[in-house]
Amino acid sequence: MSEFMKDLLVNYLVILVFVFLVQLIYENYSVSETKRKFLMFGAMSLCIVFGMTFPFQIGEGLLFDLRLIPLMVGVLYGGSGVGASLFVVTAAYRFFIGGFGTWPSILTFSLALLALRLLHNSYAKWSSQKRIAAMTLFMGITTLSIFTVFLLFFSINIGPPRVWLMIIAANIFGALVLGILLETIRSSFRLREQVVQSEKLQLISQLAAAVSHEVRNPLTASRGFMQLLLTEGIDTESRNRFLNISISELDRAESIIRDYLTFAKPETEQLVSLYVPDEVKRMIDVITPLANMHNVHITSDVAACCIKGSPQLFTQGLLNISKNAIEAMPHGGSLILAAEQKEGTVFISLSDTGIGMMPEQVKRLGEPYYSTKGAKGTGLGMMVTYRIVEAMGGSIQVDSEPGKGTRFLIELPAHFPDQPRQVQYT
């Protein structure tokens, strides 16, 4: 009996491992339906061949295996095509093994395949509990029917009733465990899809709220000043001031919309070779007035290197990071920009001596509508920056410690132009 249990457990283990691995891949929605079916067929074929090669003995001259379980899984979860192919494998290997039970075995398994095919039509529509119950019940009835056919039509003695009960119990237990495992995996993947879909809807809701909130403010201000322009007796100086404010607010609204469009689809189709020292210098020239207002000293150490991308978007990304860094130093400090090339990668770092961030804040950088500035920030700048770097084939790493500052490290693929740039040193 101990040898019987050992062989039975080995057969169980092989089937469970193969089915578990297959189901994990089978529920991956990025895998095509054809590949799924081929994977199911291959794994269940190995289970059938293994079981028939290493059966377990239940009596004198009586061998038994669990080939019916992978056949059932193949039909119910893979479809008729997979089931028919598994039956061909089963029949061919049974002929190869030989023995007096070859034809009875093929006949009984063909009847089981037909019953499974009929069950498959309604199986997918049932609940998980009903599918598990159906698998278990089918396995018990089919195993009993096979024994009845063997005994009544082929006069093959399969031992005393206790042997029948042992084999039926082994099949029912295997079907029950396998059904629970399969349905649990399927349920977890369905739950994951629901969570992903819910997160997408929540993201759309946040973006819609952000656009509505951020664009409404400048539009409301512009509308108010335009109404003032309709007031009789307004002087020319006030009229010009109101017009300038209205135009400024409309420009701000346009800038917000542009940020969202950049996040959705960065315009990286028109890629050109960018000489990093020139791009960094251009960005520093733009950001210097803001740095002076906050008493921030900017230094740079940029080696000669090139990348490929959009100059406007690349500058915008650097400006977003630099602006945040300057605003993180309310009492002044230093902003250090550096760039170097190592083999095929360009590393651009921006380091500040500001207030720093907590690890939880660093993890959320780049999320839509998340800002470390509280009510003063929209989160659009970092969201756009991450999207720009990603579209250029790069990545961003952030190291920060509260009270000690933050370092952004941008990694981008190096570009090697056909005509090397002639650098003039002054």
Side-chain angles (χ1 to χ4, degrees):
M1 180 61 68
S2 60
E3 191 67 26
F4 163 77
M5 290 300 300
K6 176 183 177 182
D7 295 338
L8 178 62
L9 291 176
V10 169
N11 276 263
Y12 278 151
L13 180 62
V14 170
I15 295 175
L16 288 174
V17 168
F18 271 104
V19 170
F20 179 74
L21 294 177
V22 167
Q23 196 68 4
L24 286 180
I25 302 176
Y26 201 79
E27 293 294 338
N28 187 344
Y29 290 94
S30 63
V31 179
S32 66
E33 188 65 24
T34 302
K35 290 182 179 179
R36 291 182 187 179
K37 293 182 180 297
F38 182 79
L39 180 65
M40 178 70 76
F41 164 72
M44 294 304 99
S45 296
L46 291 175
C47 290
I48 291 173
V49 171
F50 179 88
M52 296 172 66
T53 304
F54 303 99
F56 41 91
Q57 188 168 349
I58 57 176
E60 187 65 30
L62 294 177
L63 299 176
F64 184 71
D65 60 72
L66 301 175
R67 78 188 81 162
L68 186 58
I69 295 180
L71 179 66
M72 178 184 64
V73 173
V75 177
L76 295 181
Y77 290 90
S80 302
V82 174
S85 302
L86 291 175
F87 177 76
V88 171
V89 171
T90 304
Y93 197 62
R94 189 65 185 84
F95 271 114
F96 174 77
I97 293 175
F100 66 91
T102 300
W103 281 108
S105 176
I106 293 176
L107 175 61
T108 53
F109 273 83
S110 63
L111 295 176
L113 178 64
L114 179 61
L116 283 169
R117 177 64 185 86
L118 296 176
L119 181 62
H120 175 264
N121 294 331
S122 303
Y123 187 79
K125 302 176 183 178
W126 295 343
S127 64
S128 296
Q129 293 80 2
K130 192 174 181 179
R131 283 196 291 264
I132 294 173
M135 287 181 64
T136 307
L137 182 62
F138 173 85
M139 188 59 66
I141 295 175
T142 304
T143 308
L144 181 61
S145 301
I146 290 175
F147 290 160
T148 304
V149 170
F150 270 51
L151 183 63
L152 296 181
F153 293 95
F154 295 96
S155 300
I156 297 176
N157 184 14
I158 56 175
R162 70 178 184 85
V163 174
W164 290 36
L165 294 176
M166 287 172 54
I167 298 175
I168 293 174
N171 266 337
I172 289 178
F173 179 76
L176 177 62
V177 173
L178 203 59
I180 295 175
L181 175 64
L182 287 169
E183 292 304 320
T184 301
I185 295 175
R186 288 168 64 90
S187 176
S188 65
F189 273 95
R190 297 295 182 273
L191 181 61
R192 185 193 67 176
E193 287 299 310
Q194 293 176 4
V195 171
V196 171
Q197 185 66 21
S198 176
E199 289 178 348
K200 289 180 180 179
L201 294 175
Q202 184 179 7
L203 175 61
I204 293 174
S205 176
Q206 289 179 343
L207 289 175
V211 172
S212 175
H213 172 74
E214 297 302 325
V215 174
R216 183 187 291 117
N217 289 338
L219 291 182
T220 301
S222 297
R223 186 176 185 276
F225 282 108
M226 288 181 179
Q227 286 179 326
L228 290 175
L229 291 175
L230 298 177
T231 305
E232 294 183 2
I234 187 172
D235 59 89
T236 303
E237 182 180 354
S238 297
R239 182 183 299 274
N240 291 337
R241 184 164 57 88
F242 294 161
L243 283 173
N244 288 332
I245 294 175
S246 298
I247 293 174
S248 176
E249 290 299 304
L250 291 175
D251 287 341
R252 187 159 71 92
E254 190 273 336
S255 175
I256 294 171
I257 295 174
R258 185 176 63 248
D259 282 344
Y260 275 102
L261 293 177
T262 301
F263 169 72
K265 186 179 180 182
E267 299 174 357
T268 55
E269 296 86 7
Q270 300 177 350
L271 302 179
V272 296
S273 179
L274 303 179
Y275 186 60
V276 176
D278 285 350
E279 301 304 321
V280 172
K281 183 178 183 303
R282 183 179 298 112
M283 188 279 297
I284 292 176
D285 291 340
V286 174
I287 205 71
T288 295
L290 179 64
N292 292 336
M293 290 176 56
H294 288 76
N295 195 27
V296 173
H297 179 64
I298 301 177
T299 59
S300 63
D301 181 15
V302 182
C305 52
C306 292
I307 57 174
K308 198 169 186 179
S310 166
Q312 292 81 12
L313 292 180
F314 180 64
T315 301
Q316 181 183 355
L318 294 182
L319 279 171
N320 290 340
I321 297 176
S322 301
K323 182 175 180 291
N324 286 346
I326 292 172
E327 292 176 348
M329 296 180 281
H331 305 295
S334 299
L335 175 61
I336 303 173
L337 294 93
E340 61 177 342
Q341 178 177 326
K342 294 182 179 180
E343 297 181 353
T345 304
V346 173
F347 298 89
I348 304 173
S349 66
L350 299 92
S351 305
D352 65 62
T353 57
I355 58 177
M357 293 179 288
M358 300 291 291
E360 295 78 11
Q361 294 176 306
V362 173
K363 290 180 181 179
R364 295 195 61 185
L365 285 178
E367 288 186 13
Y369 211 55
Y370 173 76
S371 174
T372 58
K373 305 173 188 176
K376 296 181 179 180
T378 64
L380 294 181
M382 290 309 305
M383 179 180 70
V384 169
T385 299
Y386 272 81
R387 188 69 180 93
I388 290 173
V389 173
E390 177 186 342
M392 295 174 64
S395 62
I396 299 178
Q397 297 180 14
V398 183
D399 296 319
S400 185
E401 186 175 347
K404 295 186 178 180
T406 303
R407 177 175 180 262
F408 282 80
L409 180 63
I410 303 174
E411 299 182 20
L412 293 168
H415 177 60
F416 303 94
D418 296 333
Q419 298 295 330
R421 178 186 175 92
Q422 300 296 324
V423 182
Q424 294 183 353
Y425 297 96
T426 58

